[in-house]
Amino acid sequence: MDREDEDVLMTDLGVESTRAAATRTSPGMGDQIRATNMTDGNLGRDHAPLPNNSRTAKLPETQGVGQQPRSTSVLANDVAGYLNISSASSEDDYDELADDSSESKSAVRSDPLPYSKLLTGLCYDTRMRYHCELEPLPDEEGYIAGGDPDFHPEDPRRIWSIYRELCVAGLVEDKMSVYGLVKAPMARIEARPASPAEICLVHTRTHYNFVESLQDMSRAQLQRYAAEGDSIYYNKKTWLSAVLSAGGAIETCKAVAARKVKNAIAVIRPPGHHAEDDRAMGFCLFNNVCIAAKVCQADFGERCRKILIVDWDVHHGNGVQKAFYEDPNVLYISIHVHMDGRFYPSGPNGDHLHCGRGAGMGKNVNIPWSSQGMGDGDYMLAFQSIIMPIANEFDPNLVIISAGFDAAAGDTLGGCFVTPACYGHMTHMLMSLADGKVVVCLEGGYNLKSISKSALAVTRTLMGEPPDRLLATAATASGVATVQKVKLQQSKHWRCLYPKDHDRDIQNAMGAERMHDIIRAYQSKHLYDNYKMVNLYIFRERISKSFENQVLATSDYHKAQPLIVIFHDPPEIMGIPNPVTNKLELHNTWLADVLKDYIGWSVKQGFGVIDVNIPKHITGHEDAEGYVEEDRPKRISATEELAVYLWENYIECNDATDIFFIGVGDAFHGITHLLMNREHCFQRTAGVINFVAENPLRPVHSQNIYWLSKWYIEHSLIYVASDHLVWSPETNAKKISKRFGKLIKSPMKGLNEMLERHREEVMEWILGRVKKGERIEKGIGMGTEGLSTVIRDGSGIVEMLGEGDRVVVG
């Protein structure tokens, strides 16, 4: 095989021949790089040629230069056909390999480790520190209003802290490397100012001209423009730092793409991923990564056509998303805190539903955390479940990491807990892509210690060191929910993701009904057939549709007898969906409803019952199609409104002797709302039982009824799951307020398990309070002598009466 044919074969197989790479290297690239402690010949060493000795398996013939290239998959299958077990194990082949013929001696031996011989690159320029915030101008009396001694978060010391950390670790040849150098220190990549043509591949000429004009503005003009901008500041040196930052990203990406270095990190600022085509925002002026990606595509053509940008900054990279939203050749994946659009840069653009447009559909992947506080387990789950499968399917020619370190533990602006080890593991996974061509470009990160340690971990990984071991690998519940939601959305666009999404207009296309309506219809029939429970109608426009058939009552609920009022979440459906189709098959689905045993027991005791089911989805007049998420605030508000309606129209006006409220899950909010906002509610209430698993505890207190909290703790049983936060060491160190009621730690974790475990003691507690009430009434009718029990007076205060005490009512 001659060299020309070899290059064709290497290209078809997706491997860049370094002879071809060397001929296509941009002019002047070698001048941009100088190696530390290394000869010029070693710095840009080409890939070794394919071995001429191929007797163990004859490769198929390749097409000529003038022929149409065959697809990678076809050629790979042809090659695989020749590499079979028999050829690999033939004794004759081993003999031929060991043959000490003159042909073997003259053959050029290949370098078995061509990639590892290259160095890791570093781009850093102290002039990028010139961009800094101006102090406010003093007033006429020389006073600086609102003067803040603290540094701006986007502090020039950010890049110096990282550079110093790398030097102290011995990775860079510098006078700060006082503890000695590693054997193969980093190769320095010189930053240069990006040209107008390069910057305008992403930005408008108007925006470029504005940033350029900053160097000629007065101090007052700079501060005025900064005040009018979105989280940005300027000074006269901002222009120089900005073009150097963009130019540094360009040169670092070109060095890696041309195989001058194996991978590289660009310690640059100002950051760039928020900058849009026509404006600066979020501490960013020019979008460094986008500019570098566009330049590499233009300079290297097909060898750098497909680029993956992974953005792990805690903020969504709105500028990157906008730049490549319709580009099929750039895959942008951002993992960030979103908080339903309330986290910077705010708005819906960072949600999981924004997947690209036109030819770029599916090439935009947002993994939006619903809250701060995410840690290693959440990020590793996202990488292993979404980022790496999609990245492997995309198969990029170059990987660029928008490496913001503001999700690192210790960064108060980000509020997350990602460790340096986790950053190392994420880098390590990405290094398996694009033949190892990985570029790390600094974005955000505002705790100097956190970004320095995190950047060091990433750099050590780039240089070949394995990442440190992770200590916390469990993802949070909200993290798991976000990952599953993104997988479901992105499964429409990527073959590698399962389960596939099947929620497209299910209701309208198939005439389907939501399962919670079907189950409640089943419950209604079951409760009517067994206990003659009927629907209580809700005549209030805002909630009537949501709670239609959700409130059921026995026919005697209004009579002079104890009344049990149950507010509960829907029964649990436990199932195992088909891993491919995502269909929930009935034979693999179970309905768990322990509350029917409580209802049956109450009816058997001769009590009235009102059963209130609070659905997770509050139905509107125009119900949503497909998948919907629980709107918890809306659900709680509707529950509280329903509770007041039921109290005023069905409970307060009846003749019930003792009223017991039982709350299960979030539905308990309706009961606590009643106790705090209806003055006579607690006076008629004999007891409150609540089961809490994951939902937060709800205090009961009132400014008008100061003894309400005392009454509540003496008239309640609050069963709390064993893994609830209230039992954590931090909480136990404090005194738990009596406003939460009488808390009882359950050994169980789930609501159904808790209902089953504590059923007998709840029933005994209710019966005991009913009998006490009967003895009090009997004692008052016969006189007070010999009475020793617990009663409730008009204020709801519990009094212990001993023999000979007098009962005072009022």
Side-chain angles (χ1 to χ4, degrees), residues 318-335:
N318 55 292
V320 186
Q321 175 170 301
K322 185 177 180 181
F324 297 115
Y325 203 59
E326 299 183 33
D327 193 330
N329 293 316
V330 177
L331 170 60
Y332 176 60
I333 304 179
S334 177
I335 180 169

Side-chain angles (χ1 to χ4, degrees), residues 544-566:
S544 59
K545 184 172 179 61
S546 296
F547 295 106
E548 184 179 356
N549 299 321
Q550 304 296 342
V551 183
L552 306 174
T554 55
S555 58
D556 59 350
Y557 76 92
H558 59 283
K559 294 183 178 180
Q561 60 188 10
L563 173 65
I564 308 294
V565 182
I566 307 174

